[in-house]
Amino acid sequence: MGSVVISLDAELGWGFHDLESLPGRRVEAGRRGWSTMLELFETYEIPATWAVVGHLMLESCDGRHADHPAPDEWFERERTTWRDREDLRFCPDLVTDLLESDVDHEFASHSFSHVLFDRPETDAEIAAAELERSVEIAADWGLSIDSFVYPRNGVGHRDVLAEYGVRAYRGRSPTGDGVWGLLDSTIRDRSMLVAPTIDEYGLVDVPASLFLFGFEGPARTVAESIWRDPMVVQVRRGIDEAVRRDGVFHMWLHPNNLVGKQDDRRMRAILEYLDRRRSETDLRVETMNRVAQRTVDGNATTASDANGGVISVSQPAPASRSND
């Protein structure tokens, strides 16, 4: 049975706060895109994995985070130019909308403050602080964290994720997230299906297949004027391949990618096609956590078969923290 996964990096201002030059339209589009995606998911009754930056769930803070081991300048924009932009720093209202949705979405983590886990300056102490705060804030809301999406897809410190009870993470796309990866996949007719695997820490890597906004700007405008939205074409191809080959197709986006009606139309077309194919076939739409559970269960079944009916799944040996 084929499977489609949709994951979202829900970050508002935190996805940009460390950048010198800000993409203004996207910075301002986060709230709009969040609400639009919730409405679209409800229209088509499609569940997704929402990876939320933990800081957004706070009601307020002083912007200093003195007990956080990150360099002091990490929170500088929060204290200075964004001091009066609470709409970029907090959104308990949007998180409440997510949790109260009629659709059974998965609440996941996108770290506490969008620290980049693959950078040399992000040591184990900083990674642990990001996980610890995310877990604590989630618990205050009565939630747990099973899945994790790395900020800017920078995989690192997987052992820290395991220590804090995370079960799955989104690994990098085999074809890349940008326009060249999209073109290469199209020209070579390469598969966009991914194979979830269990790593040495017992975590399930649910790799990305396709970033839904990797073909933008003038190239997108020209393509749509003479043909169709190339991203919608690629998504349909990926969904059909998942049906045909009983594989996993995992697409992702940020709510702030929806900066206008053109982007809304793309997402509506994608979800409409996914809903239709689901009704026509045995295709299932799953969250990352559900895929991870199936992967673990399948691994246990394989071990059972190989051992004459006795399940014997070895647990990963403890490992010291490292930057991946």
Side-chain angles (χ1 to χ4, degrees), residues 22-84:
L22 300 178
R25 293 184 68 201
R26 284 189 59 197
V27 171
E28 301 299 334
R31 285 180 167 268
R32 173 197 182 278
W34 189 310
S35 296
T36 299
M37 285 308 305
L38 278 179
E39 292 173 5
L40 287 172
F41 285 138
E42 289 184 1
T43 297
Y44 296 100
E45 298 182 355
I46 289 176
T49 294
W50 288 73
V52 178
V53 168
H55 193 289
L56 295 174
M57 302 167 74
L58 300 176
E59 294 285 349
S60 64
C61 75
D62 62 5
R64 298 192 178 279
H65 305 284
D67 59 343
H68 195 296
D72 186 59
E73 61 269 18
W74 181 250
F75 297 100
E76 181 178 1
R77 182 167 262 134
E78 182 185 17
R79 294 191 304 271
T80 55
T81 57
W82 283 358
R83 183 178 56 189
D84 298 324

Side-chain angles (χ1 to χ4, degrees), residues 115-120 122 150-157 172 323:
V115 161
L116 308 182
F117 278 59
D118 61 338
R119 296 291 178 85
T122 302
Y150 283 100
R152 297 189 194 141
N153 297 309
V155 177
H157 297 289
R172 289 183 177 276
N323 190 17

Side-chain angles (χ1 to χ4, degrees), residues 192-223:
M192 288 188 288
L193 302 186
V194 294
T197 57
I198 302 176
D199 71 12
E200 66 270 32
Y201 302 105
L203 300 172
V204 180
D205 175 7
V206 186
S209 297
L210 183 67
F211 174 44
L212 296 180
F213 287 84
F215 191 83
E216 303 306 304
R220 174 184 177 181
T221 301
V222 171

Side-chain angles (χ1 to χ4, degrees), residues 48-285:
T49 294
W50 288 73
V52 178
V53 168
H55 193 289
L56 295 174
M57 302 167 74
L58 300 176
E59 294 285 349
S60 64
C61 75
D62 62 5
R64 298 192 178 279
H65 305 284
D67 59 343
H68 195 296
D72 186 59
E73 61 269 18
W74 181 250
F75 297 100
E76 181 178 1
R77 182 167 262 134
E78 182 185 17
R79 294 191 304 271
T80 55
T81 57
W82 283 358
R83 183 178 56 189
D84 298 324
R85 292 299 307 271
E86 293 191 354
D87 58 315
L88 299 179
R89 300 160 51 207
F90 312 107
C91 68
D93 55 324
L94 293 178
V95 176
T96 298
D97 290 345
L98 167 62
L99 299 177
E100 293 181 350
S101 171
D102 292 335
V103 180
D104 190 18
H105 295 298
E106 177 189 7
F107 171 84
S109 175
H110 198 37
S111 79
F112 170 70
S113 63
H114 210 264
V115 161
L116 308 182
F117 278 59
D118 61 338
R119 296 291 178 85
E121 59 268 26
T122 302
D123 59 19
E125 183 183 11
I126 294 175
E130 288 285 295
L131 264 297
E132 181 177 358
R133 284 156 180 75
S134 297
V135 169
E136 289 177 349
I137 293 169
D140 289 342
W141 282 64
L143 302 167
S144 60
I145 294 173
D146 293 317
S147 301
F148 187 86
V149 170
Y150 283 100
R152 297 189 194 141
N153 297 309
V155 177
H157 297 289
R158 290 174 292 130
D159 53 331
V160 176
L161 267 62
E163 288 178 15
Y164 282 88
V166 175
R167 301 176 57 194
Y169 65 94
R170 190 181 72 203
R172 289 183 177 276
S173 168
T175 58
D177 297 324
V179 61
W180 297 115
L182 174 65
L183 292 174
D184 181 63
S185 176
T186 303
I187 293 171
R188 299 189 188 188
D189 195 27
R190 292 172 57 183
S191 172
M192 288 188 288
L193 302 186
V194 294
T197 57
I198 302 176
D199 71 12
E200 66 270 32
Y201 302 105
L203 300 172
V204 180
D205 175 7
V206 186
S209 297
L210 183 67
F211 174 44
L212 296 180
F213 287 84
F215 191 83
E216 303 306 304
R220 174 184 177 181
T221 301
V222 171
E224 290 185 0
S225 68
I226 62 176
W227 189 40
R228 290 178 292 174
D229 185 338
M231 195 60 66
V232 175
V233 173
Q234 281 295 87
V235 169
R236 290 180 175 180
R237 174 176 161 239
I239 292 171
D240 290 344
E241 186 181 11
V243 171
R244 187 174 66 253
R245 298 179 57 189
D246 294 334
V248 177
F249 176 62
H250 182 181
M251 46 186 161
W252 70 278
L253 71 154
H254 311 87
N256 60 49
N257 288 128
L258 277 67
V259 300
K261 296 297 184 181
Q262 182 184 30
D263 306 309
D264 300 351
R265 287 194 296 271
R266 169 180 288 178
M267 293 311 305
R268 184 176 293 277
I270 288 172
L271 298 183
E272 185 177 65
Y273 188 77
L274 175 57
D275 182 49
R276 176 159 66 84
R277 293 297 282 152
R278 179 178 56 178
S279 67
E280 296 171 342
T281 68
D282 60 358
L283 179 71
R284 56 191 166 195
V285 181

